Amino acid sequence: MSLKLIYPKDITKKLKTTYNRAEHLKAYLNQEEFQLSIKFKRLSEKNIEQNFTQIRNWIEELKQSSFKIEFQSISYRSLGTQSIPKVLVLKQNEFLKQLSNQKAFKRHIELIQKSLKAFANLEPLLKEKPQLLMENDKVWEQLLIVCDYFTTHPMPNLYIRELDIEGIDTKFIEKHKKILDTLLCVLLDQEPTRLAQNGFEKRYGLKYDLPTIRFRILDESLYIGGLSDISLPLNEFMSLDIGCSRVFITENKINGLSFPNIKNAIVIFGLGYGVESLKNVKWLESKELIYWGDIDTHGFAILSQIRGYFSHIESMLMNDEVIEKFKYLAVKESSSKRFLGELDNLTQEEYEVFEKLKENLYGEALRIEQERIGFGYFVART
């Protein structure tokens, strides 16, 4: 059995780990004395006899290191009295000196004092996670400037590019959204933000590049200024409310472009999982909604997703009949990308098809893409 001896390199590693956890700053913020103790395991007589040379060299290496280790004298029956490492105790100054971090500590204390002077309510956060300050010490003062702006100018309704904050460029906020959100949640008494999909901008009242909704008007009498194929930012699409009664939503772009003329109808296309963009479009709630996606695991996942927003939406061309008729044109869905989770918003018939797809009952990883369904068959069912 090998000995677990603590060498100087192991001590240094322990010091660095403790430093990176900012334990010394926690002690400062809590007005406690910082001290790090590393205890050495007592060696048995058998340990020493069987590993005498190794242990002798180890003790010599410890004695020659810069660490002031406390040794203890232990009397062994056959070896006599031996001086064995007992413990290393490092107080704050020695701890920082060993890591050559005295200047950094002084700098961090200055940043803590500056932070608490500007925002006293940051104290609980800094006491709990002082490493946030250490990890961002080079930009901490700029972070405080940005925080000051948002606390004095809440919900500015501007693009980040338009924010006029002295000494702060646009890219700084873009790059530091995560730590800014952590600080602002404390300062504005809010819960942490989901930063994906413009979460930062939504939370702090900033404008952002909205998704574009592309749709075709399938009834000539409803054309807008003679236009039938239109792309609009989401906010404009939300206020549009075309005078149609039916809305088709299809996954594939070319299918949207080739939809036939249908009275009182439009087709929205090319969103995929981006159908989330539609969830707040209130005028869709009063329309007959039909979704058509690929016959694969993700097609049904998107169907379930959009039905979570609009419970009355129906599916189209995603059933057993279509599978049997066009199965010979099926391809394989990528095994690594298949959706094999649970879906909560399918009808019984849709759920059964989805489960058969997951269990490969139609064939291994069967996928029938929309464009593989015969055009005449599709038109006859619109």
Side-chain angles (χ1 to χ4, degrees):
M1 184 175 178
S2 60
L3 289 174
K4 294 183 178 179
L5 303 177
I6 301 175
Y7 285 87
K9 65 178 182 179
D10 302 314
I11 298 173
T12 300
K13 184 178 180 180
K14 173 70 173 176
L15 266 58
K16 288 180 178 179
T17 300
T18 303
Y19 180 83
N20 290 334
R21 290 204 306 263
E23 298 293 340
H24 58 299
L25 290 182
K26 285 183 183 178
Y28 170 81
L29 283 159
N30 289 287
Q31 298 181 329
E32 298 172 351
E33 182 182 2
F34 174 81
Q35 180 174 289
L36 175 64
S37 297
I38 299 175
K39 295 181 179 180
F40 295 83
K41 184 178 179 181
R42 179 166 175 166
L43 298 173
S44 68
E45 190 164 9
K46 184 178 180 181
N47 288 149
I48 299 175
E49 288 176 340
Q50 293 180 348
N51 303 276
F52 187 80
T53 302
Q54 180 187 358
I55 291 173
R56 183 184 61 187
N57 293 338
W58 167 64
I59 291 174
E60 187 61 26
E61 186 174 341
L62 290 176
K63 288 181 176 179
Q64 291 181 5
S65 73
S66 60
F67 300 112
K68 298 177 181 178
I69 297 167
E70 179 183 342
F71 283 74
Q72 61 181 333
S73 296
I74 300 177
S75 297
Y76 296 99
R77 185 176 57 183
S78 61
L79 298 171
T81 301
Q82 301 291 328
S83 183
I84 303 296
K86 180 181 180 183
V87 66
L88 170 64
V89 178
L90 293 172
K91 294 192 180 296
Q92 182 175 279
N93 288 340
E94 183 62 22
F95 169 75
L96 295 170
K97 181 180 178 181
Q98 287 289 345
L99 295 172
S100 300
N101 281 331
Q102 300 102 314
K103 288 184 178 180
F105 177 69
K106 183 179 179 182
R107 170 66 174 160
H108 294 154
I109 296 304
E110 290 173 354
L111 291 176
I112 287 172
Q113 292 171 344
K114 184 173 289 189
S115 301
L116 298 182
K117 183 178 180 181
F119 304 106
N121 48 344
L122 282 180
E123 185 174 6
L125 175 66
L126 292 176
K127 282 184 174 181
E128 182 184 0
K129 298 179 178 179
Q131 64 269 30
L132 291 176
L133 183 144
M134 287 178 53
E135 293 165 359
N136 297 279
D137 56 359
K138 292 181 180 179
V139 296
W140 193 259
E141 288 172 299
Q142 291 96 311
L143 292 172
L144 294 179
I145 292 171
V146 176
C147 287
D148 180 67
Y149 176 87
F150 278 102
T151 54
T152 55
H153 301 81
M155 313 299 283
N157 195 32
L158 298 169
Y159 290 103
I160 289 178
R161 178 69 181 87
E162 296 178 279
L163 298 180
D164 191 11
I165 308 175
E166 186 175 354
I168 305 297
D169 60 51
T170 301
K171 291 184 178 180
F172 179 84
I173 296 177
E174 292 283 359
K175 186 178 179 180
H176 297 92
K177 284 180 180 179
K178 186 174 181 180
I179 180 62
L180 281 169
D181 181 56
T182 300
L183 296 173
L184 288 170
C185 281
V186 173
L187 297 175
L188 301 175
D189 193 23
Q190 297 178 342
E191 292 298 317
T193 303
R194 181 171 174 258
L195 297 182
Q197 299 178 324
N198 304 112
F200 184 88
E201 287 82 353
K202 293 173 185 176
R203 166 62 62 85
Y204 300 110
L206 295 166
K207 293 181 179 179
Y208 55 93
D209 185 18
L210 291 167
T212 298
I213 308 300
R214 186 175 181 182
F215 63 98
R216 285 184 57 237
I217 301 173
L218 305 176
D219 183 340
E220 188 174 356
S221 68
L222 299 177
Y223 285 4
I224 300 174
L227 302 177
S228 63
D229 188 341
I230 302 171
S231 295
L232 290 176
L234 177 59
N235 60 332
E236 294 183 14
F237 182 76
M238 290 173 68
S239 62
L240 190 61
D241 195 0
I242 301 168
C244 62
S245 58
R246 301 173 76 192
V247 177
F248 293 90
I249 301 170
T250 186
E251 196 175 331
N252 188 282
K253 176 181 175 181
I254 197 65
N255 284 332
L257 292 173
S258 59
F259 245 77
N261 293 331
I262 301 174
K263 188 174 178 59
N264 289 323
I266 69 170
V267 60
I268 301 168
F269 55 96
L271 291 176
Y273 279 105
V275 292
E276 182 181 5
S277 304
L278 302 176
K279 67 180 180 180
N280 294 318
V281 182
K282 297 299 182 184
W283 60 265
L284 288 177
E285 295 174 358
S286 63
K287 310 296 182 182
E288 179 186 355
L289 301 181
I290 302 100
Y291 174 77
W292 180 25
D294 291 332
I295 297 179
D296 62 11
T297 59
H298 286 284
F300 281 91
I302 296 170
L303 171 60
S304 179
Q305 179 186 0
I306 195 167
R307 190 171 282 134
Y309 312 139
F310 305 103
S311 60
H312 64 291
I313 195 168
E314 297 180 1
S315 61
M316 164 181 151
L317 300 176
M318 299 177 71
N319 52 36
D320 275 319
E321 177 187 322
V322 177
I323 292 173
E324 290 304 316
K325 188 169 184 63
F326 296 99
K327 188 175 181 180
Y328 71 101
L329 295 174
V331 296
K332 279 190 177 183
E333 186 178 14
S334 173
S335 298
S336 62
K337 296 181 180 179
R338 300 182 78 204
F339 179 84
L340 301 177
E342 295 299 319
L343 298 177
D344 299 325
N345 300 311
L346 300 180
T347 65
Q348 184 61 37
E349 181 182 4
E350 292 162 354
Y351 180 79
E352 289 173 3
V353 174
F354 174 63
E355 286 296 309
K356 289 177 185 177
L357 287 170
K358 285 202 305 182
E359 296 171 12
N360 298 315
L361 298 182
Y362 294 116
E364 185 179 352
L366 179 135
R367 182 186 190 204
I368 301 178
E369 297 161 308
Q370 293 168 281
E371 58 266 39
R372 296 182 183 273
I373 294 175
F375 188 74
Y377 185 89
F378 147 61
V379 170
R381 285 156 179 79
T382 56

